[in-house]
Amino acid sequence: MPRIWKYFLFLLLFCFCQNNLLAQNETQRKIDSMNNILKTAKEDTTKAITLARLSWDLNTVGEKIKSREAAEQAIKLSKKLNYKIAEAPALNTLATLDFQAGNLQAAMDKYNSCAKMNEEIGNKLELGFNMNNIGNIHYVKNEFAEAIKYYKLALTAYEEVGSTKWIAQTYNNLGSTFEVQGNYPEALKYLFTGLKKLRETGDKDLTSIFYLNIGNIYLNMENYTEALKNYQRYRSVAQEIGQKEYILGAYGAIGRLYEKQGNYSEALNNFSVALKGFIELGIKSLIAKTYASIGSVYLHQSKYTEALKEYTAAVKICQEIGASEDLADSYTNIGDILSRQAALENNFEARIKKYNEAIQVMNKGLSLAKNTEAKGNIRDAYRVLSDVYKGMNDYKKALEYNNLYVKMKDSLMNNETTRKLEQQRIQYEVEKSVEEEKLQSADAVEQQKTENKRKNELLLAGLAILAIIIFFISLLIRQQNLKRRTVEKAETGHKMAELELQSLRAQLNPHFMFNSLNAIQDLILKEDNERSHLYLSRFSKLLRMLLDNANQPFVSVKQELEFLELYLSLENLRIPDLQVSIEKDPKINMEERMIPNMMLQPYIENAIWHGLSNKKTNRKLQVRIHDNGSSTEFEIEDNGIGRKKAAELKKLYRQGHHSKGMELLSKRFNLMSNEYGASIHTTVTDLENN
């Protein structure tokens, strides 16, 4: 599903200059003014730069044909005048038009030419635009390393001219790229840095895109609550600025979230709203993608007739606009649906007929997928064809397509195949050289002897070269295998660390609940019915909050404090004279600053149960939060009886009890430091003499 919507983000970014109706009206006034200037303009540089600016504004208001015509006129006149200051922006408009139309290679070539011109004339801002758009093309082509390279080049250009808005947008692009690679910590680093930059500009367009990307990361992490929050923020900002494309995009994103959760009714509701809006706007590519998304939901529900109807609608539009890759994807899904319908047929002839329909559709999709080099579609087509032939009891073809599926899944560019091709090429070159020498020496015996010698030398040289190439290819394969094993080992270590962290969090929660239930038992034994009822009610609310955050390794400081305040209100029922104060550093953004989930509560619980509960009066607990530059400092201070006295009481009254709270936290912090590179230090100081 994310692949279907990948292009949508870039359609949004290209709408950046179309913030609202007022902006479009202003652009239209500029267009009218420039057209009036051109009526009487001479064939000079003024006309060239006016045509270049006009071409961009025409594209902004959707006049793509006129935009292309104006850009071509500007380029023709600029070449005649050797005026690159106008030629570069006109060529940039043509590249953007190609990108929007899906002509990626043509767009890439034009952006590269444009970048060279801007470098020559010293226009760093436009150079940054070119680098960013080249990065976008690599992103769409799944060439993520190249995309990151060009985004960083764009960032350098923007920083030289101090363009805060475009620096922030490039951070967004970098965050999106690391997100699709699964590197969520790096993605969040760039996204949060970009959001910080946006506070300087107040740019709500780009702020909404950041929310969308943060929501996508939480969706991938299966943190659906946070994903939904960010998608709703994205939609809220879009509604505020009046960007209908963004609003509809939010419905699409929320629909994908519900689909992933298995809440298909809500997914369909959101996709239906998005589809209606895209139809009103006439954005055919997104209409087709939304039909396919609805079809996917019906396919999950095994509603094959409804799914077939949606995918058929998507196919019709894809054929109309020439969207080959999406068309191949829809054909593959239609073939899958027909195959599943065939398997449900009781009548043999009807079943075979349905399977044959599936084969016809799959062959269309496979042909398109091969033409567009869409490896994922090719792989899926092989899988479905294998299932179809298996259903027809043609096990030979089923096995054939299954083998193709496995090969495509593993790797299309096999190192062994590359080595053999290189051997055949070298052998051909050697044989060709020997044959040429033989033909040239056919006239004389002495020449024949000389050329036989040369033939042997050439053959030996060829064999030596072949041996060297084989050696280096073997070395390369060995290095790649070592690298792969290293990556697999690192991934295994990462998974083990995550599982151990989850295990520790799972141990902390029962530890906390055990102590809370002890407090309730204490009140019941004292026959304090009113307070025990109130304690139990608040405990259930606290438990709900605990469960909501159970799978989140990190929460905001604000969330942690809300949890603590509820917990302390419970302890106030048990210890009415407990005096608690929480001091917050105003420099800290409590909603954005993240800390490990349930980090503070065990320390506060320890202070109350072991230090303050054994004291008769004047029980005080202070929590202080400071911004210490590159870190956040939390201080918890109590005026209890002290650890030494608490240990003595424990020996007297709680023999055999072993407290695990702080021990578990210590293990958890060590793991988190190793896994996330976070530096978490804790110290316990005994306060004496007041």
Side-chain angles (χ1 to χ4, degrees), residues 304-305 308 336-345 351 354:
Y304 301 130
T305 303
L308 193 61
D336 192 11
I337 293 167
L338 292 172
S339 172
R340 297 185 191 201
Q341 286 181 323
L344 298 174
E345 284 284 356
R351 184 164 66 250
K354 188 73 77 172

Side-chain angles (χ1 to χ4, degrees), residues 201-243:
T201 66
D203 191 322
K204 292 184 178 179
D205 275 293
L206 193 50
T207 299
S208 65
I209 299 296
F210 272 85
Y211 284 135
L212 173 63
N213 282 326
I214 293 170
N216 289 339
I217 291 175
Y218 281 120
L219 182 64
N220 292 331
M221 294 170 68
E222 297 184 356
N223 187 341
Y224 302 128
T225 302
E226 287 302 313
L228 184 60
K229 282 181 185 176
N230 281 280
Y231 287 149
Q232 288 171 337
R233 288 170 184 161
Y234 166 56
R235 183 168 61 190
S236 176
V237 176
Q239 289 170 337
E240 185 180 343
I241 61 179
Q243 274 285 28

